[in-house]
Amino acid sequence: MSSAAPGKSVLPGDPPGGRRATAVWSVGVAVYFVAVIFRTSLGVAGLDAADRFHVNASALSTFSILQLLVYAGMQIPVGLLVDRLGTKKVLGIGAVLFTAGQLGFALSPTYGTALASRALLGCGDAMTFISVLRLGTRWFPARRGPLVGQLAGLVGMAGNLVSTLVLARLLHGVGWTAAFAGSALAGVVVLVLLVLFLKDHPEGHEPEPVGHRGAAYVRRQIAASWREPGTRMGLWVHFTTQFPAMVFLLLWGMPFLVEAQGLSRGTAGGLLTLVVLSNMTVGLVYGQIIAWHHGARLPLALGTVGATAALWAATLAYPAEHAPMWLLVVLCAVLGACGPASMIGFDFARPANPAERQGTASGITNMGGFVASMTTLLAVGVLLDATGDDYSVAFSSVFVLQALGVTQILRLRRRVARRERERLVAGRVEAVHVPA
């Protein structure tokens, strides 16, 4: 990520990017990377957790639901905190909380204390991604925004890969407590790096001071962000695209592949790894496409939703007892596109809001996918218990949320396009009147 070429960055005061920006941004992304390892660690330990705490499917899903409930509920407050306190302070608080949560989960003797630990982890995790997005906008030129955002998501998926490949083996090699407590050391490492090396912005690019007037200021920030159709579009794109893969990786993928499809844990782990690798590959492609062809945002998002729905329908409706391996491979490869597609939501919200509202707008957008994931996690768990572990019925809940999200996206698309044209015209007029 080199600095922008002359003439490419058209915004006055655009950050220069370059090696210094990449180094600082990498520290923030490392914090997010560890947070994702901790967030997704239950995805490879779901069956072990059910045995350890003696719980059924509904109670097992409560771990992830509570974690995501805290995460989603924290998004707007975290966005406001990032706008007010800056990235370094919010990321530091987040690192302390998610490390404490992971360690607490390792040592929890009961279901109740384990739940509390996952909630603490979710609170810390909630402070990472929005902070990293804000760090990117402060250190890189605006035109780099889509690619920088996709790269952040890609690094997050690498954290998921660590959970799938490394933590799963540790879990079955050294046991529950040692595996989770040992992984918590990574949180301490990134916290030290953050304190020593992370800066909120490059020298000479300090943000304008913004007056804060308590609750009235908070209400204005939220209301102003929500009034922008781009913010609402960002939320619904994130809502509709992210959750199928999130639900699969966070909790229900391993049980579905082992219990419903008859695969071994090793083979199921390989398919979960395929989701992550596909995500990382597609993320690079989507980021480059959107950086050069802004109009590709909506087709990519809706195309991903359509492909995901088609593959889930084919898998769940397959006439034999188990879907063939080739179909499961294609399903997992397509699920890998869900994460990159969800990042497109931020590419709608980012240009719709000024710098002082970026954290708030990102928080609103980021709520979408996690609310959908939380809802689906609960629905799958409840339906599994109600139907005697009929995964076809349980996973059909995916289609309901996809239909809701697509309806909202189509309803907003013309309003968003009109507002973006208005901003483009206004920006050209302003550029004409800027003294040479």
Side-chain angles (χ1 to χ4, degrees):
M1 275 182 272
S2 61
S3 56
K8 288 285 187 182
S9 180
V10 298
L11 297 178
D14 229 9
R19 292 181 180 178
R20 169 73 168 154
T22 302
V24 173
W25 179 79
S26 297
V27 173
V29 171
V31 179
Y32 175 56
F33 171 77
V34 173
V36 174
I37 295 175
F38 293 177
R39 178 201 303 169
T40 58
S41 57
L42 187 60
V44 296
L47 297 175
D48 300 87
D51 292 338
R52 180 179 175 87
F53 300 112
H54 310 292
V55 294
N56 61 13
S58 297
L60 181 61
S61 66
T62 303
F63 278 122
S64 296
I65 291 166
L66 178 61
Q67 182 179 331
L68 293 185
L69 178 63
V70 172
Y71 187 106
M74 287 288 292
Q75 288 310 291
I76 293 177
V78 168
L80 291 163
L81 281 174
V82 170
D83 286 338
R84 181 167 186 174
L85 300 179
T87 299
K88 184 169 185 174
K89 290 180 181 178
V90 176
L91 266 182
I93 295 169
V96 170
L97 293 177
F98 67 61
T99 301
Q102 185 79 340
L103 182 60
F105 194 58
L107 304 176
S108 292
T110 66
Y111 177 67
T113 54
L115 273 179
S117 296
R118 294 307 284 186
L120 187 63
L121 192 158
C123 186
D125 182 18
M127 297 183 175
T128 58
F129 188 62
I130 293 175
S131 298
V132 170
L133 287 180
R134 178 59 170 266
L135 199 64
T137 63
R138 290 297 187 196
W139 281 90
F140 293 100
R143 73 182 186 89
R144 297 282 189 185
L147 182 58
V148 170
Q150 288 287 356
L151 286 173
L154 184 152
V155 173
M157 288 309 296
N160 205 323
L161 194 61
V162 170
S163 291
T164 305
L165 295 179
V166 179
L167 190 59
R169 292 179 182 176
L170 281 175
L171 188 64
H172 298 115
V174 301
W176 179 282
T177 301
F180 280 99
S183 67
L185 292 174
V188 177
V189 172
V190 294
L191 181 60
V192 172
L193 291 175
L194 182 155
V195 170
L196 293 178
F197 300 113
L198 193 134
K199 288 186 64 176
D200 283 342
H201 47 74
E203 293 180 9
H205 291 269
E206 293 80 2
E208 292 289 332
V210 179
H212 299 282
R213 298 187 178 92
Y217 167 79
V218 170
R219 287 194 297 269
R220 284 197 302 272
Q221 284 284 88
I222 296 172
S225 294
W226 185 253
R227 277 196 300 270
E228 288 291 344
T231 305
R232 300 199 299 278
M233 175 67 91
L235 180 145
W236 285 111
V237 167
H238 201 267
F239 177 100
T240 313
T241 53
Q242 187 200 48
F243 79 92
M246 177 70 73
V247 168
F248 198 78
L249 290 171
L250 201 59
L251 183 61
W252 291 122
M254 181 70 78
F256 169 74
L257 294 171
V258 172
E259 296 177 353
Q261 298 302 319
L263 302 180
S264 68
R265 286 197 182 199
T267 304
L271 288 174
L272 293 180
T273 303
L274 175 60
V275 177
V276 177
L277 293 175
S278 172
N279 183 298
M280 297 170 73
T281 303
V282 174
L284 288 174
V285 175
Y286 278 17
Q288 291 285 10
I289 291 173
I290 295 169
W292 293 106
H293 304 285
H294 220 47
R297 291 170 302 168
L298 201 54
L300 285 176
L302 292 177
T304 302
V305 174
T308 304
L311 266 297
W312 262 123
T315 302
L316 298 178
Y318 197 79
E321 181 181 1
H322 299 142
M325 179 57 71
W326 68 264
L327 183 55
L328 295 176
V329 168
V330 176
L331 170 66
C332 290
V334 171
L335 284 174
C338 291
S342 72
M343 295 298 301
I344 296 171
F346 298 101
D347 294 321
F348 281 104
R350 187 186 302 111
N353 292 272
E356 65 271 14
R357 287 207 310 266
Q358 287 294 317
T360 306
S362 295
I364 293 172
T365 299
N366 209 29
M367 281 180 62
F370 289 93
V371 168
S373 298
M374 180 176 57
T375 304
T376 309
L377 283 167
L378 176 60
V380 170
V382 170
L383 288 170
L384 284 175
D385 286 339
T387 61
D389 292 338
D390 188 330
Y391 280 89
S392 295
V393 173
F395 273 105
S396 294
S397 56
V398 168
F399 305 125
V400 177
L401 273 76
Q402 284 183 322
L404 171 61
V406 169
T407 300
Q408 294 299 321
I409 289 170
L410 295 178
R411 184 179 65 84
L412 285 165
R413 72 187 190 283
R414 287 193 178 90
R415 229 176 302 176
V416 171
R418 184 171 63 250
R419 286 285 290 148
E420 290 188 344
R421 284 195 299 270
E422 290 171 355
R423 282 195 301 271
L424 182 61
V425 171
R428 287 173 176 169
V429 171
E430 183 179 345
V432 168
H433 291 88
V434 172

